[in-house]
């Protein structure tokens, strides 16, 4: 076996796990009123079916009502009604040979108070938490005792539901580590001051949990390896804490992560995006393992089998969390075991999953539209039992590639036209930006899969209506994407050469020139990326947006990475301003461009004299081909939205196709500007029924 350490079983207390790969606790945002329902169970079942050894569900599942979970739709361990759903989850996971645990916590100040029960949040010393704007009272002794018992009752519910263990969270600066850290604990009673006092609350929690579940039930503890705050806990302090906690005999393993999470900047470390190196905090887990005698788990940006095997073989850790890797491909473990690694849809660290969660939305994968939609969307495409069709797909961006892949997996003859010399569409531009290169991994998988499946790929071939009709298609899918929307306002002067698009810059068609103003009208990744691209080549850059902040729509773990780079390179950030017009002015220094900005709130105009204006204003659909084909199609190019949204086959597919005419659909940005995930989802939910 190529990976002997990865597939070696391990024993945690009485719990035997079939391999060393774990799906660690994360906030899925799938629970229904705090209960794991069908969607929740199917999501974890797919990982069990895909070979995971242990899944720890319910990231940040609360044990108390004053630690509200509704904000991230987590499993609520504060009530008995949750137990039936947990029991069904346990039974389902065990049927596939996987083990299932759940993470329990009290968030303390790390949440929001305004809504649901409107609780008064508690923390050791009432210090505000910046990320969630958590204003909290100073916890009283009676509340400490009540919450300790809440942990015990949560543990009882977990055990009685048939789960295999419980993990207590003292990471991400929840209540237990709020007591540990001098950054948040300024108390002068028996719960503050000395390390022994600061550990008291956590030990009381673990003692109550262990007394409730008994000696044979698996209990783990998740903790941070370094808070990365000068006034917080550094690695040496946390090694001392880990050693002390392990020597209590109350826990069976430690799960170690890197970085605190109470500021926007440190939060970006916790789920390392593609801008950070692989496994950036494995050394912290190794440091803690060196001082404890119980197994150590680690999960942060471990994305492939070689990484995982190396960490296990070197003795750095005993278990590897590959959580986002299994969000991208829940069958990853099975593919590794079966020597099909080139078929793994590898996580690229785009962090679409966690960024959605920090917007209060359900966790989705940027490149796998079936994840968490297992009730309606297949991870494995089955062959069609109907007639073999001729499917023509135009455009090989993510929408077109997924359409071609799925149609081919269904058993149809597929011709894919792409006018460029390579597949990928706009993702190829996104991958040109600094620290965004791994976006190309999304396309790499589609490239390999469409080739492996035998899709007839015609690159460097711009299809027109005649070429498509010559194929005598049964189905035509237009995934022609969009074109840069730089002509929304005529006064931007794009047609006069007064401004250029971000596409022009990232593609290399136009070189950055002198002092550059980047106007970002949509505040997604593209605007900040092109500003970073230009600044990294030594140019002075100002990025202007009408939104409240630059990169406002990129997500909580992504905008801090952009900000690190933009500030470091001296990029000027100007929010709350519109670009009204661009004109050319003759100056003593030569021809210059003048960009006229208008403040959103005062209507006051300002002028910027620059050498170049770059526009990032999203896209408008590339729809000329659609209008040429629409009237010739059986369905006049219409997608039945009721059928689409209900995951049912399109009605036109039941008609005679081919000699009787063809069905026409368009997907992705060819309809309107969405994102990569939406493009792939458009293709999957349409083509799975071809």
């Amino acid at each position: 076996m190529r990976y002997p350490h990865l597939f070696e079983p391990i024993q945690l207390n009485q719990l035997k796990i079939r391999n060393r790969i774990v799906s660690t606790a994360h906030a899925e945002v799938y629970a229904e009123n705090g209960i794991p329902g069908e969607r929740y169970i199917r999501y974890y079942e797919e990982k069990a079916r895909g070979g995971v050894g242990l899944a720890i569900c319910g990231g940040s599942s609360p044990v108390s009502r004053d630690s509200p979970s509704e904000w991230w739709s987590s499993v609520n361990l504060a009530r008995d009604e949750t137990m039936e759903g947990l029991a069904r989850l346990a039974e389902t996971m065990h049927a596939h040979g996987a083990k299932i645990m759940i993470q329990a916590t009290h968030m303390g100040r790390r949440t929001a108070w305004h809504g649901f029960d409107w609780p008064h949040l508690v923390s050791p010393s009432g210090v505000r938490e910046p990320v969630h704007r958590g204003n909290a009272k100073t916890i009283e002794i009676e509340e400490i005792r009540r919450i300790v018992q809440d942990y015990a009752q949560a543990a009882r519910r977990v055990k009685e539901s048939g789960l295999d263990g419980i993990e207590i969270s003292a990471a991400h600066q929840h209540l237990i580590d709020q007591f540990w850290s001098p950054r948040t604990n300024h108390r002068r009673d028996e719960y503050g001051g000395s390390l022994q006092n600061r550990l008291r609350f956590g030990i009381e929690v673990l003692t109550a949990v262990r007394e409730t579940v008994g000696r044979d039930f698996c209990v783990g503890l998740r903790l941070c390896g370094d808070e990365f705050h000068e006034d917080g806990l550094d690695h040496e302090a946390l090694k001392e804490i880990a050693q002390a906690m392990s020597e209590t005999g109350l826990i069976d393993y430690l799960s170690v992560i890197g970085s605190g999470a109470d500021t926007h900047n440190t939060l970006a470390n916790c789920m390392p995006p593609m801008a950070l190196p692989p496994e950036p905090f494995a050394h912290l887990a190794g440091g803690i393992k060196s001082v404890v005698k119980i197994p150590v788990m680690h999960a942060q940006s471990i994305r492939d089998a070689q990484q995982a095997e190396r960490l296990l073989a070197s003795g750095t850790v005993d278990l590897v969390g590959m959580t986002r890797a299994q969000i991208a491909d829940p069958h990853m473990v099975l593919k590794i075991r079966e020597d099909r690694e080139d078929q793994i849809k590898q996580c690229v660290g785009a962090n679409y999953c966690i960024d959605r969660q920090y917007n209060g939305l359900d966790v989705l994968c940027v490149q796998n539209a079936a994840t968490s939609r297992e009730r309606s969307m297949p991870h494995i495409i089955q062959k069609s039992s109907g007639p073999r069709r001729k499917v023509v797909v135009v455009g090989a961006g993510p929408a077109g590639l997924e359409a071609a892949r799925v149609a081919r997996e269904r058993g149809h003859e597929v011709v894919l036209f792409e006018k460029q010399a390579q597949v990928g569409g706009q993702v190829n531009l996104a991958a040109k930006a600094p620290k965004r290169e791994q976006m190309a991994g999304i396309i790499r998988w589609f490239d390999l899969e469409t080739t492996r499946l035998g899709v007839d790929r015609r690159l460097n071939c711009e299809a027109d209506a005649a070429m498509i009709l010559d194929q005598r298609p049964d189905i035509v899918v237009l995934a022609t994407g969009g074109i840069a929307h730089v002509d929304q306002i005529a006064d931007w002067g794009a047609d006069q050469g007064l401004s250029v698009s971000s596409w022009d810059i990232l593609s290399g068609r136009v070189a950055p020139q002198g002092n550059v103003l980047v106007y970002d009208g949509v505040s997604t990744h593209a605007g900040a990326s092109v500003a970073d691209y230009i600044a990294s080549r030594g140019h002075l850059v100002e990025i202007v947006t009408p939104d409240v902040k630059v990169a406002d729509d990129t997500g909580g773990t992504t905008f801090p990475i952009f900000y690190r780079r933009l500030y470091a390179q001296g990029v000027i950030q100007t929010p709350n301003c519109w670009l009204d017009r661009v004109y050319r002015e003759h100056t003593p220094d030569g021809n210059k461009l003048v960009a006229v900005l208008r403040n959103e709130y005062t209507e006051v105009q300002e002028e910027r004299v620059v050498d170049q204006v770059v526009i990032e204003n999203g896209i408008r659909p590339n729809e000329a081909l659609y209008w040429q084909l629409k009237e010739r199609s059986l369905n006049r190019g219409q997608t039945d939205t009721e059928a689409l949204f209900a995951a049912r086959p399109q009605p036109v597919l039941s008609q005679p196709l081919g000699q009787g005419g063809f069905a026409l659909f368009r997907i992705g940005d060819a309809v309107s500007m969405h994102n990569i995930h939406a493009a792939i989802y458009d293709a999957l939910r349409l083509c799975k029924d071809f």
Side-chain angles (χ1 to χ4, degrees):
M1 186 179 291
R2 290 182 63 192
Y3 305 109
H5 296 86
L6 201 58
F7 288 98
E8 181 184 5
I10 187 172
Q11 189 97 9
L12 301 179
N13 198 323
Q14 303 302 304
L15 182 62
K16 187 173 183 179
I17 303 168
R18 62 185 173 185
N19 57 53
R20 303 298 180 99
I21 299 173
V22 182
S23 172
T24 55
H26 59 290
E28 311 92 349
V29 201
Y30 306 149
E32 301 161 18
N33 296 317
I35 296 173
E38 192 67 19
R39 182 186 187 188
Y40 195 101
I41 293 170
R42 291 280 188 92
Y43 167 74
Y44 277 101
E45 181 183 19
E46 203 68 39
K47 297 185 184 188
R49 186 182 284 119
V52 71
L54 168 65
I56 305 173
C57 70
S60 303
S61 292
V63 301
S64 305
R65 287 189 65 170
D66 57 355
S67 178
S69 68
E70 288 86 349
W71 304 114
W72 55 94
S73 296
S74 191
V75 174
N76 192 336
L77 293 177
R79 57 185 188 178
D80 288 345
E81 292 87 342
T82 305
M83 295 171 65
E84 182 181 352
L86 289 176
R88 289 196 296 117
L89 173 62
E91 182 180 2
T92 301
M93 298 296 283
H94 294 158
H96 296 286
K99 305 300 182 183
I100 181 75
M101 296 175 59
I102 191 167
Q103 184 185 87
T105 193
H106 193 294
M107 302 290 282
R109 67 177 189 150
R110 189 176 163 75
T111 184
W113 53 266
H114 45 86
F116 306 102
D117 287 322
W118 287 69
H120 287 277
L121 306 181
V122 295
S123 71
S125 301
V127 179
R128 180 179 184 269
E129 201 253 23
V131 169
H132 297 84
R133 300 177 175 88
N135 299 307
K137 62 168 286 189
T138 298
I139 193 170
E140 300 173 57
I141 296 297
E142 293 80 4
E143 291 167 317
I144 289 174
R145 292 170 181 161
R146 185 254 304 168
I147 291 171
V148 167
Q149 290 308 307
D150 287 346
Y151 270 100
Q153 288 305 304
R156 173 188 62 79
R157 295 180 182 105
V158 170
K159 183 177 182 181
E160 290 180 0
S161 298
L163 272 67
D164 299 297
I166 186 169
E167 178 180 273
I168 306 301
S169 179
H172 298 303
Q173 292 165 310
H174 293 188
L175 186 57
I176 289 177
D177 42 329
Q178 288 167 30
F179 272 95
W180 288 354
S181 178
R183 179 176 172 84
T184 47
N185 186 345
H186 307 153
R187 299 175 73 95
R188 297 183 179 179
D189 61 4
E190 65 268 35
Y191 290 94
S194 68
L195 178 60
Q196 181 180 6
N197 283 355
R198 287 183 280 123
L199 293 183
R200 190 182 306 278
F201 173 67
I203 292 174
E204 288 178 351
V205 166
L206 291 170
T207 300
V209 166
R210 181 57 76 188
E211 288 175 350
T212 301
V213 299
R215 298 302 311 170
D216 294 340
F217 195 66
C218 185
V219 177
L221 179 67
R222 196 175 212 194
L223 79 164
C224 175
D226 193 325
E227 289 187 339
F228 299 138
H229 288 308
E230 289 186 2
D231 59 347
L233 296 166
D234 63 14
H235 185 45
E236 291 305 314
L238 281 156
K239 283 168 63 177
E240 187 177 358
I241 289 173
Q243 184 175 18
M245 299 305 285
S246 68
E247 289 177 355
T248 63
L250 298 169
I251 55 177
D252 300 305
Y253 73 87
L254 287 169
S255 177
V256 181
I257 65 161
S259 187
D262 63 336
T263 67
H264 293 291
N265 190 34
T266 54
L267 176 65
N269 299 328
C270 291
M271 286 64 64
M274 63 180 70
L276 273 63
E279 61 202 57
F281 306 122
H283 66 286
L284 300 177
I288 284 178
K289 181 170 168 55
S290 70
V291 298
V292 301
K293 297 179 180 178
I294 57 176
V296 170
M297 180 191 306
H298 177 62
Q300 276 174 313
S301 200
I302 304 172
R303 299 182 196 163
D304 62 55
Q306 293 185 27
Q307 282 179 275
E309 177 72 13
R310 174 173 44 79
L311 290 172
L312 293 167
S314 66
T316 303
V317 296
D318 302 289
L319 296 110
V320 288
M322 303 181 73
T323 309
R324 284 177 294 169
Q326 290 175 88
I327 293 175
D329 192 338
H331 299 158
M332 176 197 71
V333 181
L334 191 61
K335 291 176 182 178
I336 294 170
R337 182 183 284 279
E338 295 177 352
D339 198 23
R340 293 190 289 132
E341 287 180 76
D342 59 344
Q343 295 179 35
I344 293 173
K345 190 176 294 187
Q346 191 175 63
C347 173
V348 299
N351 273 17
Y352 184 65
C353 50
I354 191 66
D355 283 340
R356 282 182 60 87
Q357 187 257 316
Y358 271 94
N359 283 329
L361 301 171
D362 51 344
V363 167
L364 299 172
C365 177
V366 69
Q367 59 183 317
N368 190 340
T371 293
S372 87
R373 295 190 179 103
E374 285 79 11
R375 289 177 295 181
S376 59
M377 295 295 126
H379 286 277
I380 298 174
I381 308 298
Q382 301 296 327
K383 294 290 185 187
S384 171
S385 59
R388 191 170 190 259
R389 308 286 198 186
K390 178 71 171 287
V391 180
V392 174
V393 180
V394 184
L401 288 166
E402 176 74 337
R405 178 190 77 89
V406 174
R408 184 62 180 156
E409 289 271 28
R410 292 285 286 164
H412 302 302
E413 180 184 355
V414 180
V415 177
L416 174 63
F417 288 105
E418 169 53 50
K419 67 180 179 180
Q420 301 296 333
Q422 68 284 329
V423 300
Q426 295 177 54
V427 180
N428 293 331
L429 292 177
K432 298 287 187 183
K435 302 297 183 180
R436 303 284 294 170
E437 299 89 347
Q438 291 183 50
M439 293 297 291
I442 297 173
I443 301 305
R444 174 185 171 275
W445 184 83
F446 281 116
D447 192 7
L448 290 171
E449 283 295 285
T450 51
T451 300
R452 180 180 70 84
L453 293 168
V455 172
D456 181 357
R457 307 186 337 164
R458 303 185 186 182
L459 307 183
N460 263 330
C461 185
E462 185 171 2
D464 57 25
M467 292 171 61
I468 293 169
L469 295 174
D470 282 347
Q471 295 296 318
R472 299 183 181 276
D474 297 300
I475 303 171
V476 176
V477 179
L478 298 181
T480 47
I483 55 179
H485 194 9
V486 295
D487 54 357
Q488 176 177 327
I489 297 176
D491 283 348
W492 287 349
D495 59 340
Q496 306 165 46
L498 300 180
S499 63
V500 299
S501 73
S502 62
W503 292 23
D504 292 326
I505 297 293
L506 292 173
S507 68
R509 288 193 296 266
V510 176
Q513 299 175 19
N515 296 340
V516 182
L517 183 139
V518 174
Y519 178 69
D520 182 4
V522 289
S523 286
T524 57
H525 300 71
S529 289
V530 75
D532 187 4
Y533 179 93
I534 296 169
S536 68
R537 282 154 176 76
H539 297 272
L540 177 64
V541 178
E542 179 180 10
I543 181 169
V544 177
T545 179
D547 289 318
V548 295
K549 72 174 189 292
V550 168
D552 191 36
D553 200 27
T554 61
T557 68
T558 299
F559 85 80
I561 301 297
F562 280 129
Y563 280 23
R564 290 178 192 179
R565 294 189 55 80
L566 296 181
Y567 278 121
Q569 296 177 99
V571 174
I572 300 166
Q573 299 184 37
T574 304
N576 305 312
C577 283
W578 298 88
L579 177 63
D580 276 356
R581 65 191 179 101
V582 180
Y583 66 90
R584 191 177 299 280
E585 180 177 69
H586 299 288
T587 70
D589 298 330
N591 289 334
K592 291 283 188 178
L593 296 174
V594 179
V596 181
L597 308 180
R598 173 173 47 86
N599 186 276
E600 162 75 1
Y601 301 101
T602 67
E603 298 290 326
V604 171
Q605 290 187 333
E606 300 178 17
E607 293 188 340
R608 301 286 194 272
V609 178
V610 296
D611 298 296
Q612 189 176 57
V613 175
V614 178
I615 306 290
E616 170 47 52
N617 192 48
I619 65 99
R620 52 188 173 87
N622 185 10
E623 56 190 3
L625 193 54
Y626 169 77
W627 291 108
Q628 293 170 29
L629 293 171
K630 174 179 176 176
E631 298 302 325
R632 303 189 187 194
S633 66
L634 290 173
N635 60 331
R636 293 175 55 83
Q638 299 306 295
T639 300
D640 186 304
T641 54
E642 289 298 321
L644 186 74
F645 298 162
R648 296 195 306 265
Q650 289 292 300
V652 70
L653 298 176
S654 63
Q655 299 183 31
L657 300 177
Q659 296 300 324
F662 63 92
L664 174 67
F665 305 99
R666 56 175 172 163
I667 57 177
D669 285 351
V671 185
S672 68
M673 177 179 166
H674 280 185
N675 62 16
I676 296 171
H677 174 89
I680 293 170
Y681 185 31
D682 264 6
L684 176 61
R685 62 180 171 173
L686 174 70
C687 300
K688 70 177 178 61
D689 297 311
F690 282 0

